[in-house]
Amino acid sequence: MSGIGFGFAEGRKADGSGARRALLDPRTKIALLVTMPTVLLSGAGGSHTAPLAIVFALVAAALLLSCGNIATAVFGILAVAFTQALWTLLAPLASGGAYMSLYLMHGIMVHLIPCMLMAAYAVSTTTVSEFILGMEKLHVPPLITIPLSVMFRFFPTVIEEATSVNDAMRMRDIRLGGRNVGKMVEYRLVPIMMSSLRIGEELSAASLTRGLGAPTKRTSICEIGFRAQDIVVLTICAFALVAVFAIMFGLVS
Amino acid sequence: MIELKNINFVYGSESAELIASMDKSAAAQDPAADAATTLDAGLQDEQAAPKALRGDSSDADGRLHDVNLSIEDGQFVLITGPSGCGKSTVLRLINGLIPHYYPGTLNGEVKIDGVDIASQELYETGLKVGTVFQNPRSQFFNVDTDSELAFACENRGMDPGVILDRMSATVERFDIESLMGRSIFRLSGGEKQKIACASIDVGDPRIVLLDEPSANLDFDATMRLRELIRLWKEQGRTIVAAEHRISYLWDLIDRAVIMSSGRIVADLDTPESRQLSDAQLAELGLRTTTPESPSEVELPAVGSDDAALTLNDFRFSYRTGLFAREKERRSKTAEPTIDFSGTRIAMGKVTAIVGPNGSGKTTLLNCLCGLERRCKGTIDLNGEACDRRALRGKVFMVMQDVNHQLFTESALEEVRISMETNGEQADDDALHHILAQVDLDAFADRHPMSLSGGQKQRLAVACALASGSDILLFDEPTSGLDYRHMQQTADLMKGLREMGKTLVVVTHDSEFIRSCCDCTLAIKNGRPA
Amino acid sequence: MDKESTRLNGKDLINVGIFTAIISVMMILISFIGFIPYLMPTYCIFMPLLIGIPWMLFATKVNKFGMVLIMGILLGIVLMLTGMGWYAMPLCIVVSLIAEFIMKSGDYKSAKKDILAHGIFSLWVFGSYIPIFLTAEQYWADRGSYGEEYIATAMSIFQPWLAPIMIVACFVFGVIGAWIGLKVMKKHFVKAGIV
């Protein structure tokens, strides 16, 4: 997952200046993340929306390419192509249980992959600060944005700790299988949780001394805002959602 | 002006839990961790295990007795003393963490410019007081450096334009342009501490508190930290630092307050009074006041006729690009290739590995204990070439963060699983014997995490002994330790050497090197220097 | 220190963030099993089972209303950011609220209630499956209900009737997982004096 660092193109500053300002406002990306799955699962659902899903996938992949995430884009396209090929070739030959399995796998993939690609794009081109600011502008309260920030900040830490504990187990030559699986889980989870607790306490103290939790409204050095491309994308999303609801409620066929 | 008047303070049981889970740095003896002793019998939770004595620490537990302290504006005060003396407690009183974050029983007054701190909210106190803590990894709230610098001011609701101006001023003053626009996770420890200092600086605090900021830093990074602190002093800020490693600050301070067991025992406010002899330092429980780079400690390299283990083909390259792991990306200073081929390490002796940060010391340790998968080299041990798998059975590493390598629910169990990796069935007597060798037999049933830092380290050593390893590696075993505990660790090393073990210690602690190491191996840029 | 009884303070919010991070990482790691599509339903077993351990530790830090709800919402956001869409969100909110009320009814001191609450909370795992079941519904809508077709496919996964089974599994294994979590807590965290 090294290509998908949260928000990072190195050199881009948190305030959006520097190397490249993101193409889209974070709120627009959220809109896309909400619209895409809805459309893909609309009345027609599953395999029926395959052509549409492929289009979405291509769009998401294009966006990913535009921000330099080549590996993910390529992987996504290949996955879609593979699934689609599998379906087209095998479906006519299959029947019964096999057919249903194929149908489901195809339907799931076709639905999931564009959404995941879109999510990958959103995550890799938005810094945490921009994301939080976007949410604040959507009137999401600090009660949610603060834990959200902490969560994103803590992901890499959990992984670091887990890796370290894993290394320690390897070094002591404690192997999986020799003992029961339950202990393996216990031996890993417990130190990770203890470490996390400890880091959490230190983090709390450090943050509180720097004013976290003050009643004043937070400001942000990030700059986000809707520009032409956002309006375009948002309009398309709006249309798509309206169309979906219209079909669902039978206003249009 | 900071005033502490007639302070008597005892941590509450909740605080003890908080601090028990906050084991400061690898092997630090956190004073308050030892506080969860028989302090609050009345408050003990019946379902909890009795928070019994924490062994070998001093009687102090961070509590304070009759502390009176006044600090003038612009003074640079160092508070030091053995572990548990209460120096961190004093800082916590000034920045308000006591009583708002660490509950306890507080008698007396803490005032800044006449305003009582205990009655102020933390964020209000934070306007005047900035604190730098000791663990670079756990202080930062944001994932990128710019946001971290802006954090304090954003919380205050300041205008973004003003914040950006202040940030530019700080960046220029601290010369950290190269650190901007980067992920904090990819910075080295020293760089993280710089960012921590910078984030305080942007907030323009009149008072700066430093709680053992150099504990996890190597020599060079500590010197760079010293520069930042000197800048602050020049700006006329009031600085209060709590430290064990006093040498890098000793000549900058205006005043040294020495504490012991919760009381102030000495207040040295003239340069003359601070000329202390080694004997006086030892009596006060203090570390040396003379800074010395570890590479300056003169020790012989391995003699050609000494029994030694030889590293063969110990080399590999960092992966770059797509598959590079985080740790590798962080090492911007190191060349992409590590090459320790032909290096010899004396057997039966204590070898200190010294070198600047990022030079590959920890990598060498990882290779030595068979952890680094991509290192295909072997080691000639007693004529036998040992590959990675064989090494795992013969080499044991005590990691920098010992907490990561203790998994079970009792010291006895911990030693048991190490013995079982040998394929032997562990009988209790043998296990107790091993624990006795490291002086931990009394703690056989204690949970490893309830032990103090030094005890955990000894437990890890016990596991090493149980696993039959003859080669023991240590990664910074003395970071954050006070004088007495550093000596204890040195004694432990000597004891292990007597047992015939070969010890390899990565350390930047020159006092420690002098105390127990026999040879050095200097590393630079991934190669022996 | 006077207790601000009901307002969530900075420390509470940070705790929520930390534990949600731990749970999210576990979720993502466990979800790699799903690489083999036939094993996907097993999420409902393994996720609640393993997540019970951090949950019980989290429960010791929960003593005010709102922390569990925020965790639920955050998990919903994580699911959205991993491409699972927004379908899980309503589910997350509902189960979090129910879990909240359960825990509150025990005055935040009852381990039994914490265990029960996790059973309900674990239904969030089912959130990722909603689109799959909707797709399956669609399949049947398309094919009508040809007799032999039905029998022939009876052995394959993701029948609509699998859904209730998975939901129950989430609950059952959530309770078991939390119960295990309590044991782990006592064995380690309580013994170490951290809780």
Side-chain angles (χ1 to χ4, degrees):
Chain A
M1 293 266 290
S2 55
I4 312 183
F6 203 114
F8 271 98
E10 295 263 23
R12 249 192 80 221
K13 309 223 180 218
D15 63 354
S17 66
R20 274 193 320 248
R21 180 164 164 186
L23 192 59
L24 297 172
D25 185 281
R27 289 164 287 181
T28 315
K29 292 177 211 174
I30 295 177
L32 277 170
L33 281 178
V34 168
T35 316
M36 232 191 221
T38 318
V39 169
L40 287 176
L41 205 65
S42 63
S47 294
H48 292 250
T49 44
L52 198 56
I54 296 180
V55 169
F56 282 171
L58 286 171
V59 166
L63 287 171
L64 276 172
L65 285 173
S66 82
C67 76
N69 244 322
I70 307 182
T72 324
V74 166
F75 181 71
I77 294 294
L78 284 178
V80 169
F82 178 70
T83 322
Q84 188 62 21
L86 213 59
W87 169 254
T88 328
L89 294 174
L90 293 182
L93 306 172
S95 65
Y99 181 76
M100 185 184 188
S101 302
L102 266 182
Y103 181 94
L104 283 173
M105 263 177 22
H106 178 243
I108 295 166
M109 279 292 144
V110 132
H111 177 258
L112 267 187
I113 293 178
C115 296
M116 291 181 122
L117 287 178
M118 195 64 231
Y121 169 70
V123 161
S124 58
T125 56
T126 321
T127 66
V128 178
S129 307
E130 286 172 343
F131 187 63
I132 299 292
L133 182 59
M135 300 207 95
E136 283 175 359
K137 293 210 167 176
L138 288 173
H139 300 292
V140 175
L143 273 182
I144 299 201
T145 56
I146 292 179
L148 197 59
S149 301
V150 173
M151 188 178 76
F152 289 132
R153 175 251 182 271
F154 223 75
F155 273 146
T157 303
V158 176
I159 296 180
E160 262 177 30
E161 297 293 300
T163 315
S164 198
V165 169
N166 204 34
D167 280 348
M169 286 189 79
R170 280 199 299 138
M171 189 274 298
R172 288 179 69 180
D173 231 2
I174 301 172
R175 269 165 260 146
L176 197 80
R179 322 181 115 257
N180 73 61
V181 186
K183 278 215 182 286
M184 286 293 115
V185 170
E186 184 187 328
Y187 286 170
R188 278 164 212 270
L189 263 189
V190 170
I192 293 176
M193 289 201 288
M194 299 228 181
S195 272
S196 302
L197 266 188
R198 188 188 342 134
I199 297 179
E201 302 293 358
E202 293 173 4
L203 177 64
S204 293
S207 310
L208 289 171
T209 57
R210 286 184 294 161
L212 186 75
T216 41
K217 184 161 180 347
R218 290 195 84 231
T219 47
S220 173
I221 57 171
C222 289
E223 265 179 51
I224 61 174
F226 292 122
R227 291 175 294 175
Q229 56 264 43
D230 296 290
I231 311 281
V232 167
V233 173
L234 286 172
T235 320
I236 298 179
C237 286
F239 263 129
L241 286 174
V242 166
V244 165
F245 284 123
I247 296 179
M248 251 171 61
F249 292 116
L251 300 172
V252 175
S253 66
Chain B
M1 163 121 160
I2 308 173
E3 290 167 272
L4 275 71
K5 289 201 189 129
N6 302 321
I7 302 289
N8 282 286
F9 176 74
V10 172
Y11 284 99
S13 65
E14 273 177 48
S15 288
E17 287 155 18
L18 265 182
I19 296 168
S21 70
M22 254 172 83
D23 198 50
K24 287 190 196 171
S25 92
Q29 301 279 359
D30 186 351
D34 305 309
T37 61
T38 50
L39 271 189
D40 304 296
L43 297 168
Q44 259 177 17
D45 192 353
E46 49 175 300
Q47 68 169 169
K51 296 178 186 165
L53 281 176
R54 295 214 171 183
D56 64 350
S57 64
S58 52
D59 336 275
D61 45 27
R63 62 170 84 190
L64 297 179
H65 298 288
D66 297 326
V67 168
N68 281 287
L69 187 62
S70 288
I71 301 179
E72 300 286 332
D73 287 341
Q75 249 194 352
F76 183 169
V77 178
L78 173 70
I79 307 184
T80 184
S83 279
C85 65
K87 51 190 190 306
S88 292
T89 312
V90 169
L91 291 190
R92 289 173 189 152
L93 284 167
I94 302 177
N95 64 20
L97 283 177
I98 296 175
H100 299 286
Y101 190 73
Y102 298 107
T105 325
L106 176 63
N107 293 309
E109 288 181 327
V110 183
K111 289 192 177 167
I112 299 183
D113 295 336
V115 177
D116 180 42
I117 294 298
S119 61
Q120 241 187 6
E121 293 292 342
L122 269 174
Y123 58 83
E124 288 178 286
T125 315
L127 295 173
K128 299 178 273 206
V129 182
T131 314
V132 177
F133 299 86
Q134 65 170 277
N135 192 345
R137 294 182 55 220
S138 59
Q139 289 183 71
F140 58 95
F141 185 87
N142 299 280
V143 298
D144 64 277
T145 51
D146 296 79
S147 306
E148 188 65 8
L149 260 58
F151 185 65
C153 293
E154 286 175 340
N155 287 332
R156 296 177 199 174
M158 283 171 66
D159 172 70
V162 173
I163 303 180
L164 287 169
D165 285 336
R166 286 206 191 181
M167 281 168 62
S168 306
T170 298
V171 168
E172 198 184 314
R173 216 175 324 124
F174 281 12
D175 196 20
I176 49 177
E177 181 62 43
S178 60
L179 297 181
M180 288 297 105
R182 288 175 55 186
S183 160
I184 301 187
F185 293 103
R186 296 195 190 159
L187 300 180
S188 70
E191 290 170 336
K192 285 182 179 129
Q193 281 298 59
K194 269 199 195 172
I195 295 292
C197 293
S199 81
I200 303 293
D201 188 70
V202 173
D204 199 25
R206 280 186 34 231
I207 301 171
V208 174
L209 302 182
L210 301 155
D211 196 348
E212 295 196 49
S214 73
N216 289 304
L217 301 184
D218 69 2
F219 184 78
D220 295 318
T222 306
M223 288 298 126
R224 288 191 286 267
L225 174 69
R226 177 198 143 92
E227 278 315 299
L228 295 186
I229 298 177
R230 197 176 55 77
L231 273 173
W232 273 331
K233 179 178 169 177
E234 277 169 15
Q235 289 178 315
R237 302 188 203 266
T238 312
I239 307 177
V240 186
E243 262 290 9
H244 284 304
R245 298 170 67 184
I246 54 184
S247 55
Y248 76 103
L249 292 176
W250 199 250
D251 59 336
L252 284 181
I253 58 180
D254 298 315
R255 186 172 161 202
V257 171
I258 323 264
M259 293 181 70
S260 177
S261 301
R263 293 174 200 278
I264 298 182
V265 300
D267 193 338
L268 312 169
D269 54 2
T270 60
E272 296 76 38
S273 60
R274 291 200 290 276
Q275 309 272 24
L276 297 172
S277 69
D278 284 345
Q280 287 171 308
L281 286 173
E283 200 191 309
L284 290 168
L286 302 182
R287 295 281 219 129
T288 179
T289 51
T290 336
E292 186 184 17
S293 162
S295 30
E296 287 169 21
V297 181
E298 291 280 326
L299 285 178
V302 187
S304 48
D305 47 343
D306 288 345
L309 39 96
T310 318
L311 280 56
N312 292 322
D313 283 325
F314 250 56
R315 63 171 75 89
F316 67 92
S317 297
Y318 283 138
R319 285 185 284 216
T320 49
L322 201 60
F323 293 103
R325 289 182 63 193
E326 281 306 314
K327 282 189 272 202
E328 292 164 347
R329 268 196 262 223
R330 199 176 302 154
S331 311
K332 290 201 162 201
T333 48
E335 286 181 9
T337 314
I338 305 281
D339 188 350
F340 297 114
S341 291
T343 308
R344 299 174 66 235
I345 297 180
M347 287 194 48
K349 297 215 200 281
V350 183
T351 305
I353 300 195
V354 299
N357 218 27
S359 53
K361 298 177 291 190
T362 307
T363 315
L364 175 57
L365 287 191
N366 285 340
C367 292
L368 283 173
C369 67
L371 209 52
E372 185 64 62
R373 286 200 180 95
R374 290 178 303 111
C375 177
K376 306 272 190 288
T378 60
I379 298 188
D380 274 342
L381 190 59
N382 292 330
E384 200 193 318
C386 298
D387 70 346
R388 212 166 55 81
R389 304 226 72 160
L391 282 177
R392 287 230 282 252
K394 299 199 196 308
V395 183
F396 191 101
M397 175 158 78
V398 176
M399 300 170 127
Q400 193 163 15
D401 191 346
V402 195
N403 294 301
H404 288 165
Q405 58 187 149
L406 301 173
F407 318 114
T408 60
E409 75 271 17
S410 75
L412 200 71
E413 276 312 300
E414 203 68 57
V415 183
R416 187 194 304 272
I417 54 175
S418 265
M419 194 165 249
E420 285 178 358
T421 63
N422 252 350
E424 302 167 20
Q425 251 323 335
D427 81 275
D428 279 16
D429 286 333
L431 297 175
H432 280 283
H433 176 68
I434 292 184
L435 282 176
Q437 282 183 304
V438 293
D439 218 10
L440 283 180
D441 203 22
F443 301 96
D445 288 321
R446 290 275 300 276
H447 193 288
M449 292 301 171
S450 68
L451 302 174
S452 71
Q455 290 169 327
K456 285 182 198 167
Q457 212 175 43
R458 299 214 299 274
L459 181 56
V461 169
C463 295
L465 295 175
S467 71
S469 306
D470 283 321
I471 305 174
L472 273 68
L473 312 176
F474 291 84
D475 197 349
E476 302 289 2
T478 60
S479 15
L481 289 188
D482 71 352
Y483 181 73
R484 202 183 106 215
H485 292 105
M486 184 274 291
Q487 284 295 78
Q488 270 180 2
T489 311
D491 291 337
L492 179 66
M493 303 286 149
K494 291 184 203 164
L496 288 169
R497 183 180 53 200
E498 238 111 273
M499 285 189 217
K501 309 286 181 191
T502 303
L503 302 177
V504 179
V505 185
V506 166
T507 179
H508 56 259
D509 186 340
S510 11
E511 266 179 298
F512 176 74
I513 298 177
R514 282 193 186 286
S515 185
C516 66
C517 296
D518 303 308
C519 356
T520 43
L521 173 60
I523 308 255
K524 200 168 170 187
N525 287 337
R527 288 171 172 74
Chain C
M1 181 179 88
D2 42 304
K3 290 245 167 100
E4 284 225 3
S5 47
T6 48
R7 224 188 108 220
L8 292 177
N9 60 37
K11 183 149 162 287
D12 296 321
L13 296 179
I14 292 182
N15 273 332
V16 174
I18 290 175
F19 280 98
T20 315
I22 295 177
I23 292 179
S24 306
V25 170
M26 287 175 77
M27 168 187 78
I28 293 175
L29 287 177
I30 299 175
S31 71
F32 286 147
I33 304 180
F35 233 53
I36 306 168
Y38 275 89
L39 289 180
M40 272 184 85
T42 57
Y43 289 174
C44 292
I45 299 177
F46 294 119
M47 290 207 197
L49 199 60
L50 293 172
I51 291 177
I53 302 178
W55 169 268
M56 288 309 280
L57 190 55
F58 176 57
T60 65
K61 310 268 174 206
V62 172
N63 50 18
K64 297 173 193 167
F65 195 89
M67 289 173 78
V68 175
L69 178 61
I70 297 179
M71 176 180 269
I73 296 178
L74 257 47
L75 285 173
I77 295 180
V78 170
L79 285 173
M80 191 171 86
L81 289 176
T82 46
M84 300 289 164
W86 54 262
Y87 316 107
M89 187 65 95
L91 178 64
C92 287
I93 296 181
V94 167
V95 297
S96 312
L97 276 172
I98 300 178
E100 283 274 17
F101 284 118
I102 295 178
M103 288 171 82
K104 188 177 163 85
S105 77
D107 218 13
Y108 300 113
K109 292 203 188 96
S110 160
K112 288 207 176 81
K113 300 242 161 110
D114 292 341
I115 294 178
L116 182 63
H118 187 242
I120 302 281
F121 187 78
S122 297
L123 264 51
W124 72 266
V125 174
F126 187 74
S128 325
Y129 295 111
I130 299 179
I132 299 176
F133 280 102
L134 290 177
T135 309
E137 289 278 338
Q138 190 56 42
Y139 173 82
W140 289 114
D142 283 354
R143 312 289 292 179
S145 42
Y146 302 138
E148 321 105 51
E149 192 80 48
Y150 188 83
I151 296 166
T153 57
M155 296 312 288
S156 71
I157 53 158
F158 287 127
Q159 305 284 351
W161 48 254
L162 195 60
I165 293 187
M166 285 167 69
I167 293 179
V168 169
C170 283
F171 177 77
V172 166
F173 286 101
V175 168
I176 297 178
W179 182 79
I180 295 179
L182 185 63
K183 292 245 165 301
V184 170
M185 284 262 300
K186 288 209 177 119
K187 185 176 174 195
H188 287 274
F189 293 85
V190 170
K191 189 171 180 209
I194 292 186
V195 148

